[in-house]
Amino acid sequence: MTDTRKPVESLLTDYDIFEPSFIANPYPGYSEIRESECPIAHTDRYQGSWLPTRYEDVVALAQEYEVFTSRGILVMPPPPGQAEGAYGGVAAPPITSDPPDHHWHRRLILPVFAPQAVAKYEQGTKDLCNALIDEFIDKGTADAAADYAQHIPVRVISTMLGVPFDMEEEFTDWVRGVLENMHDLERRKRSRQSIIEFFLAQVEDRKKNPRDNDLITELLNTEVEGKKVPIEYVLGVCNLMLVAGIDTTWSAIGSVMWHMAQHPEHRKQLRENDDLWPTAIEELLRVYAPVTMARIVDRDIEFQGCPMKAGDRVLMAFPAANRDPRQFENPDEVILDREHNRHVAFGSGIHRCAGSNLARLEVRVALQTWLERIPEFELVDPASVTWAGGQVHGPRSCMVKF
Amino acid sequence: MGSCHGHQMCAIAAPEVFGSDELGNATVLIAGDIPAELEGKARRAEANCPERAIIISE
Ligand code: HEM
Ligand code: SF4
């Protein structure tokens, strides 16, 4: 496919988050914008958006939920004729909800993701990582993104939702259709439709055949103020688990593998010092924060000197914020025992990632299990690594040898 | 902890001082003054909370 996009004139006034070199490595671009006179860039591409890059601005935006609403959270507007919200007709509460409903939308799922609650997925995650490694360990080579990282979160989520692993390929395809290939409007529409249809059938099934220890059954039986929650909410949460829980975590695991393949000194540090893991995982999440979210401006306002209009889209570039030298010393360096690390890979404010404890567990177990079995490995060819970017950034192919 | 949104970065920095309730929001595990040997960790928790929800008073 030839690239027909027009060349970027200036990052400050014409950035293009889907431009291939920006997808592969957005950090120099973020830095150029951040250190310019105008650290909040603007583009007319994809119907227009603003791009703040300083930590302070990104956090301020995330906190101001009344002005910067979650009516639209994708970096590109939906296809013509579809409503805003992650999936138009079917939302993805609580991520697409605004107060007052946001509160109960979030409250209901928080217990599912509390540290104590996600701990029970540790062994299962480790087992599935080992099973994946069994497939390629004798070959001496593997794609750390496509053969490993990609399969981990989707299987964890399938377990949580009580659907068989053989849905893996479809789930992955749908999520990519919505999040990574959103400029392909036909694919986005089709993917959205598939998700709705699939979970509608699952919900119907659980109504007839309720299961024990099953999230969908539990949600169907949940009451708020004496009334069962609406079906749309249950569907929305299933939808959310796919869009929020798969691409994001797989991208984080992939980036971590890519990093470790190139840094034997970090592998050694982690092997020799068990106490390093908690800060190391936070540091890797800071540097390789995969997720950028969008907001829709509620009313005309001036934000840090920028004249924003009602309906404008603003990107919350958490990956840019996490490398702001005003907030982090040597921001581009990975320091596994970094002490001061107020990173915002999981966002900030009322929408901040509800699944972060699960995400951390998956990233840690994925890396620990790999390092136990394959302590030494390296990239086959740094130039052949391919990336996804835009809203979710991470490697999609990353060949390593060992 | 009014502005706590459950990042759990405090519990990562100072597991002896901060825990989690069933919603994943922070709880303080010790009553009264922070023992001197935990003060460094508690300060780190304060410095790592993205919501600035932790304030350690002198
Ligand atoms: C490394 C992996 C992950 C990253 C970097 C990440 C990042 C984020 C970010 C930045 C937000 C804020 C969205 C906003 O402000 O609009 C968010 C929200 C959310 N994430 Fe994650 N996420 C990850 C994994 C997960 C997982 C595994 C789940 C659960 C299955 C999950 C569930 C959620 C939910 C439910 C929300 C919405 C919370 C709300 O709106 O109140 N995330 N995530
Ligand atoms: S780091 Fe801050 S927001 Fe997070 S759990 Fe601790 S107190 Fe709450």
Side-chain angles (χ1 to χ4, degrees):
Chain A
M1 204 174 77
T2 51
D3 193 12
T4 52
R5 61 190 70 236
K6 73 176 166 59
V8 172
E9 280 162 23
S10 156
L11 279 177
L12 300 185
T13 54
D14 187 35
Y15 65 81
D16 181 354
I17 54 163
F18 293 111
E19 193 266 316
S21 73
F22 193 83
I23 285 182
N25 182 10
Y27 305 109
Y30 288 145
S31 174
E32 187 184 324
I33 299 170
R34 199 193 296 111
E35 303 312 321
S36 77
E37 281 150 45
C38 180
I40 302 181
H42 186 271
T43 191
D44 288 330
R45 291 172 194 257
Y46 314 111
Q47 302 182 41
S49 60
W50 299 91
L51 175 63
T53 50
R54 291 195 182 170
Y55 181 90
E56 202 186 334
D57 293 344
V58 173
V59 171
L61 264 164
Q63 297 282 341
E64 285 282 339
Y65 59 84
E66 285 177 352
V67 180
F68 303 103
T69 71
S70 292
R71 284 199 292 272
I73 52 161
L74 293 184
V75 298
M76 261 184 81
Q82 266 180 34
E84 284 284 0
Y87 291 97
V90 170
I95 208 164
T96 48
S97 326
D98 283 310
D101 284 344
H102 174 265
H103 182 73
W104 73 262
H105 285 174
R106 181 178 171 96
R107 169 74 183 70
L108 284 189
I109 58 162
L110 282 179
V112 179
F113 297 112
Q116 315 82 297
V118 299
K120 66 169 176 285
Y121 298 109
E122 171 138 4
Q123 191 56 46
T125 307
K126 198 171 168 71
D127 294 345
L128 80 84
C129 289
N130 269 316
L132 290 167
I133 295 172
D134 287 342
E135 295 284 316
F136 52 67
I137 191 157
D138 292 333
K139 293 189 204 148
T141 170
D143 189 328
D147 298 336
Y148 192 61
Q150 177 174 337
H151 301 284
I152 300 166
V154 65
R155 292 187 187 183
V156 173
I157 297 286
S158 299
T159 308
M160 292 182 84
L161 291 173
V163 302
F165 277 2
D166 64 16
M167 282 306 295
E168 185 180 327
E169 260 178 54
E170 280 91 342
F171 280 177
T172 305
D173 183 60
W174 299 341
V175 171
R176 297 189 71 172
V178 175
L179 282 180
E180 289 175 21
N181 299 292
M182 62 183 88
H183 41 288
D184 179 348
L185 297 183
E186 268 311 306
R187 181 167 172 195
R188 181 164 158 190
K189 233 157 106 176
R190 225 176 330 121
S191 306
R192 194 198 71 150
Q193 195 55 33
S194 307
I195 295 178
I196 298 173
E197 280 166 14
F198 177 80
F199 283 109
L200 207 52
Q202 292 291 311
V203 165
E204 288 308 319
D205 168 72
R206 298 306 195 288
K207 278 196 198 151
K208 286 195 217 91
N209 314 300
R211 298 190 197 165
D212 290 334
N213 292 322
D214 175 69
L215 185 60
I216 298 178
T217 308
E218 254 169 62
L219 286 169
L220 284 170
N221 292 332
T222 306
E223 295 188 355
V224 172
E225 289 167 3
K227 279 203 303 238
K228 288 260 173 75
V229 297
I231 287 289
E232 291 75 36
Y233 175 77
V234 180
L235 273 180
V237 170
C238 295
N239 177 20
L240 169 96
M241 301 273 290
L242 292 199
V243 277
I246 294 183
D247 220 34
T248 50
T249 316
W250 147 31
S251 299
I253 297 172
S255 294
V256 166
M257 298 306 301
W258 175 78
H259 175 88
M260 286 297 159
Q262 300 170 86
H263 291 275
E265 75 285 9
H266 288 159
R267 300 197 296 264
K268 182 162 179 285
Q269 258 182 299
L270 283 170
R271 262 200 314 275
E272 289 174 359
N273 187 356
D274 255 350
D275 297 340
L276 200 57
W277 280 91
T279 54
I281 295 299
E282 294 309 300
E283 173 68 347
L284 291 162
L285 285 166
R286 179 187 71 80
V287 176
Y288 298 114
V291 177
T292 296
M293 297 300 285
R295 290 291 187 265
I296 293 193
V297 181
D298 180 63
R299 49 182 175 269
D300 294 1
I301 54 143
E302 194 175 297
F303 181 76
Q304 304 288 36
C306 296
M308 299 184 176
K309 297 261 176 290
D312 278 3
R313 216 165 269 270
V314 187
L315 309 190
M316 289 192 300
F318 298 116
N322 275 355
R323 293 195 187 209
D324 184 348
R326 290 159 199 77
Q327 179 70 24
F328 304 97
E329 262 176 59
N330 302 321
D332 293 320
E333 211 179 303
V334 172
I335 302 170
L336 294 180
D337 59 356
R338 190 184 283 274
E339 290 223 335
H340 288 256
N341 187 0
R342 195 176 251 161
H343 77 79
V344 284
F346 294 117
S348 175
I350 62 167
H351 286 285
R352 93 122 237 160
C353 183
S356 63
N357 300 305
L358 179 65
R360 285 181 176 120
L361 179 144
E362 291 183 46
V363 175
R364 175 176 52 79
V365 171
L367 180 59
Q368 272 172 343
T369 311
W370 178 290
L371 288 180
E372 275 166 24
R373 307 255 328 254
I374 308 176
E376 295 302 336
F377 61 108
E378 60 187 308
L379 295 180
V380 169
D381 169 18
S384 72
V385 176
T386 62
W387 296 84
Q391 185 131 21
V392 184
H393 179 250
R396 292 296 169 261
S397 171
C398 177
M399 288 304 298
V400 299
K401 56 183 181 201
F402 37 86
Chain B
M1 295 255 181
S3 48
C4 173
H5 287 298
H7 294 241
Q8 288 298 317
M9 284 155 88
C10 52
I12 289 167
E16 299 87 348
V17 185
F18 297 98
S20 153
D21 65 14
E22 81 286 359
L23 297 182
N25 289 330
T27 53
V28 180
L29 302 174
I30 48 184
D33 289 347
I34 297 166
E37 72 274 14
L38 292 178
E39 187 165 331
K41 283 189 171 182
R43 292 266 172 223
R44 207 190 321 149
E46 183 181 27
N48 283 358
C49 171
E51 309 293 337
R52 294 169 203 255
I54 301 172
I55 294 152
I56 298 172
S57 44
E58 293 297 323

